[in-house]
Amino acid sequence: MDIIRKQPAALPVRPNLLDYETERAGFSWTAARRSLDGLPGAHGLNIAHETVDRHAAGPRSTRIALRWRGRDDAAQDISYAQLRDLTARFANVLATLGVAAGDRVFLLCGRIPALYIALLGALKHRCVVTPLFSAFGPEPIATRMEIGAARVLVTTTSLYRRKVESIRARLPALEHVLLVDDEGGAALPPGTLALQALLDAASPAYVIGPTDPESPALLHFTSGTTGKPKGALHVHQAIVAHYATGRLALDFHPDDVFWCTADPGWITGTSYGVIAPLAHGITQVVDEADFDAERWYAILGRERVTVWYTAPTAVRMMMKSGADAARRHEFPKLRFIASVGEPLNPQAVVWGVEAFGLPIHDNWWQTETGGIMIANFPALDIRPGSMGKPLPGVEAAIVRRTPDGGAEPVDAPDVEGELALRAGWPSMFRTYLNEEARYRKCFSDDWYLTGDLARRDADGYYWFLGRADDMIKSAGHLIGPFEVESALMEHPAVHEAGVIGKPEPVIGEVVKAFVALKAGFEPGEALRRELLGFARKRLGAAVAPKEIDFVATLPKTRSGKIMRRLLKARELGLPEGDTSTLEST
Ligand code: WT7
């Protein structure tokens, strides 16, 4: 597909990154840190101070920080000054409950104001915060809260009843459950507290304590192909990268109205749906509702969104209803569109021009990287299908694994290999919680190995080729097959399960399970439906398999590992590749 040429001088707003090479040559993380304020009295760096208190204390205090739009017609605009008071109240609630710095606070809410208040308030109190995706079922919630040893949970009354009550006994570390009332004042379930009453009674003044920039701030879970989910731990200093990427990759300007459509339960929705825009003191839109093309067009127009950060699945769903549907709306202020999380088809990049008059800028990163690492910048020509070039301050490479288990960069262009990043950017994860060995395995010398396969062309653009492992990407969500297999195996009829991502044109991949039954159980439509329902109830709709096939046995290696690759090849009718380790049955 043709290159989309950019003429920076002709853009409606002068981009922050005008010339890629110049910006790259002049960039340093030390200098980037100076865009931030730091706690008064040189007491460190705290995300909540940078995102809230410093703007509340200055000329931007009355500016809208969060422009919240509810599922129905509810709406709430929260200024920076109001956000300072609300988050201070939440921090004081934690203090009153005896919650200490470093304690883990989990959030399980839809995109409601309380989620944002609790997230930033907990950071003020120097707790470590984990927002969980509210469409998770009880099982993924329990696993993550166990690993994180959650001491506090903020959720809604209905989510608590549906998803937490049944697992509470598995969470001995959980002392305080603070509920947002969404049941119109029904009696509180035992062992919970009403959040609103506590907030009302708390003081709206809170002084953030000294915060070491290297102290933990956020714990985001990501899945692995084997074993339990991994808790990627990020520190307060990560905000240096959130700020820099907001400036360079998303091109934030002081009057911007930004909309990141991701949920904070996934890291995009925290790094860019909370921290980066607020760090810049701009207004950000939060929509509580799920995807709906017409609703989204209306929001982009009515809220006068200038910069929009979304996902390929959403773009493809919009493409289904045609560019005309978009063109019936007006987007008077929209000037930059970016997308992340899964491959963005070249057609989708170009469709942006048809629908919005703007191409869509793909960028790449991961839970572990904390922020955007490779991007199509506003001033840079777009090669549709490419993820763009590394952020200034980030060194990327294509590496080849060496026989001794190391990794060496490949200099030649157009060679397929693993994408690696030189360790040292501020938002890099600092460990997998309680799993230092698993963390260390991600590095070779000072290269962080991403687990993605890619190539770099002769002009320095990176192209995504696939994952090096069995992870599944469905509607932008990274799903670990092991978690799905384990849930299926809880069912009395299931002997073994193997789970793959089956390519699907709109959501990328659907979760598909192959199930071998225990002796005495017969495959059939009724059992298939029962298993689908069973998995959905435990895992939640976002993670559960959509398809199940029964098989007599699963292909395994001689050491007993399920060969998901082979299941996938067979499903797709592709060559089976190297099967030398296949156990003979
Ligand atoms: C994996 C990370 C982006 C933060 C939220 C997701 C895939 C990400 C792209 C892209 C192709 C992409 C990779 C990556 N991915 N961006 N632009 N093109 N694939 O973070 O859940 O940790 O997933 O998403 O495979 O490793 P995550």
Side-chain angles (χ1 to χ4, degrees):
M1 202 156 286
D2 290 347
I3 294 178
I4 299 177
R5 303 268 172 210
K6 296 291 190 68
Q7 289 174 317
L11 294 172
V13 172
R14 186 188 150 99
N16 293 323
L17 184 152
L18 211 47
D19 179 78
Y20 179 77
E21 295 304 335
T22 311
E23 187 70 37
R24 213 177 151 78
F27 187 93
S28 83
W29 288 113
T30 317
R33 161 70 179 81
R34 285 187 218 117
S35 306
L36 295 160
D37 198 17
L39 286 172
H43 287 139
L45 187 68
N46 183 295
I47 292 175
H49 173 80
E50 303 301 329
T51 50
V52 183
D53 289 9
R54 79 153 159 165
H55 304 303
R60 300 178 84 77
S61 68
T62 55
R63 197 186 158 95
I64 302 305
L66 295 177
R67 195 179 275 177
W68 179 76
R69 298 299 176 251
R71 220 178 270 284
D72 39 44
D73 282 338
Q76 193 180 342
D77 285 344
I78 301 177
S79 71
Y80 278 95
Q82 288 167 327
L83 194 57
R84 173 192 53 202
D85 295 356
L86 291 164
T87 52
R89 283 179 191 272
F90 187 81
N92 282 319
V93 167
L94 294 177
T96 309
L97 293 172
V99 175
D103 284 350
R104 248 89 69 174
V105 175
F106 275 57
L107 314 173
L108 179 72
C109 306
R111 291 179 296 279
I112 54 175
L115 172 66
Y116 298 82
I117 292 161
L119 195 160
L120 293 163
L123 290 174
K124 276 193 170 173
H125 198 54
R126 295 171 292 162
C127 291
V128 181
V129 188
T130 301
L132 288 178
F133 191 42
S134 60
F136 276 159
E139 200 52 49
I141 294 170
T143 314
R144 287 159 179 76
M145 289 183 70
E146 274 168 347
I147 296 171
R151 189 167 177 206
V152 180
L153 172 68
V154 178
T155 185
T156 65
T157 313
S158 61
L159 284 168
Y160 182 78
R161 287 192 210 281
R162 279 192 285 137
K163 305 188 175 191
V164 185
E165 222 155 32
S166 63
I167 55 166
R168 178 108 188 231
R170 281 166 63 181
L171 308 169
L174 182 60
E175 278 175 58
H176 309 290
V177 175
L178 313 180
L179 295 187
V180 178
D181 174 25
D182 62 350
E183 291 189 343
L188 277 177
T192 67
L193 297 166
L195 177 60
Q196 193 57 51
L198 294 169
L199 289 172
D200 290 345
S203 157
Y206 184 92
V207 178
I208 299 175
T211 311
D212 183 331
E214 276 298 311
S215 58
L218 290 153
L219 178 66
H220 272 283
F221 284 86
T222 182
S223 300
T225 44
T226 55
K228 300 212 165 190
K230 305 175 274 191
L233 194 64
H234 291 278
V235 297
H236 279 273
Q237 177 134 253
I239 195 171
V240 176
H242 298 145
Y243 188 92
T245 49
R247 186 172 80 81
L248 300 171
L250 297 173
D251 198 40
F252 290 160
H253 283 66
D255 290 328
D256 273 332
V257 175
F258 174 62
W259 185 25
C260 168
T261 57
D263 187 279
W266 305 94
I267 197 166
T268 311
T270 297
S271 296
Y272 297 98
V274 185
I275 300 174
L278 298 183
H280 279 259
I282 62 177
T283 296
Q284 77 150 330
V285 173
V286 173
D287 182 30
E288 184 192 10
D290 291 330
F291 174 82
D292 174 83
E294 277 299 313
R295 181 181 173 98
W296 282 28
Y297 295 140
I299 289 175
L300 287 168
R302 183 172 11 95
E303 308 299 342
R304 304 172 88 75
V305 171
T306 56
V307 180
W308 180 37
Y309 195 20
T310 191
T313 289
V315 175
R316 288 189 293 261
M317 294 205 282
M318 290 180 154
M319 287 168 78
K320 279 213 295 193
S321 51
D324 282 346
R327 283 199 298 255
R328 281 196 285 275
H329 295 258
E330 281 182 34
F331 312 104
K333 297 284 181 185
L334 194 60
R335 76 160 201 279
F336 188 70
I337 309 177
S339 128
V340 73
E342 31 165 347
L344 183 70
N345 333 42
Q347 296 79 357
V349 175
V350 177
W351 184 81
V353 180
E354 277 173 50
F356 304 103
L358 300 165
I360 300 174
H361 298 75
D362 188 17
N363 60 51
W364 177 97
W365 56 289
Q366 301 178 309
T367 302
E368 286 84 348
T369 73
I372 299 169
M373 295 284 109
I374 296 180
N376 283 286
F377 299 91
L380 203 66
D381 293 347
I382 300 179
R383 302 189 171 186
S386 159
M387 310 186 287
K389 294 191 178 190
L391 191 89
V394 169
E395 189 184 343
I398 300 297
V399 301
R400 192 174 19 217
R401 299 273 180 139
T402 56
D404 63 354
E408 68 188 15
V410 181
D411 284 333
D414 292 318
V415 176
E416 171 174 348
E418 186 167 357
L419 177 63
L421 304 166
R422 173 128 23 222
W425 67 95
S427 63
M428 188 178 89
F429 68 139
R430 296 300 192 265
T431 191
Y432 287 129
L433 190 70
N434 308 331
E435 292 200 274
E436 188 62 21
R438 220 170 168 190
Y439 175 71
R440 257 183 272 116
K441 265 178 72 178
C442 300
F443 295 86
S444 169
D445 298 326
D446 56 352
W447 289 104
Y448 163 65
L449 306 167
T450 67
D452 278 2
L453 300 173
R455 72 179 168 86
R456 183 187 60 241
D457 69 22
D459 298 305
Y461 283 79
Y462 281 78
W463 300 74
F464 178 84
L465 297 171
R467 300 264 329 173
D469 56 23
D470 294 334
M471 297 300 297
I472 300 162
K473 261 279 159 153
S474 185
H477 302 149
L478 192 66
I479 297 170
F482 182 77
E483 202 167 5
V484 181
E485 290 158 3
S486 306
L488 282 167
M489 284 171 66
E490 300 273 313
H491 189 280
V494 176
H495 171 54
E496 280 178 327
V499 169
I500 63 161
K502 178 180 162 186
E504 195 275 348
V506 177
I507 65 168
E509 291 184 313
V510 292
V511 180
K512 168 152 194 175
F514 296 86
V515 167
L517 296 173
K518 285 190 185 146
F521 290 91
E522 286 302 318
E525 206 34 49
L527 184 54
R528 184 201 315 274
R529 273 203 298 272
E530 182 181 325
L531 289 177
L532 286 169
F534 176 85
R536 193 181 161 100
K537 192 152 176 261
R538 301 202 151 213
L539 296 168
V543 182
K546 301 276 183 297
E547 286 181 33
I548 294 181
D549 275 5
F550 293 109
V551 291
T553 53
L554 290 167
K556 280 197 232 130
T557 62
R558 276 187 285 272
S559 59
K561 273 210 292 208
I562 294 169
M563 293 180 81
R564 302 184 186 111
R565 249 162 231 281
L566 201 54
L567 283 172
K568 191 161 177 170
R570 289 176 182 170
E571 170 73 19
L572 303 179
L574 297 171
E576 298 197 350
D578 180 8
T579 53
S580 58
T581 59
L582 185 66
E583 163 200 65
S584 48
T585 42

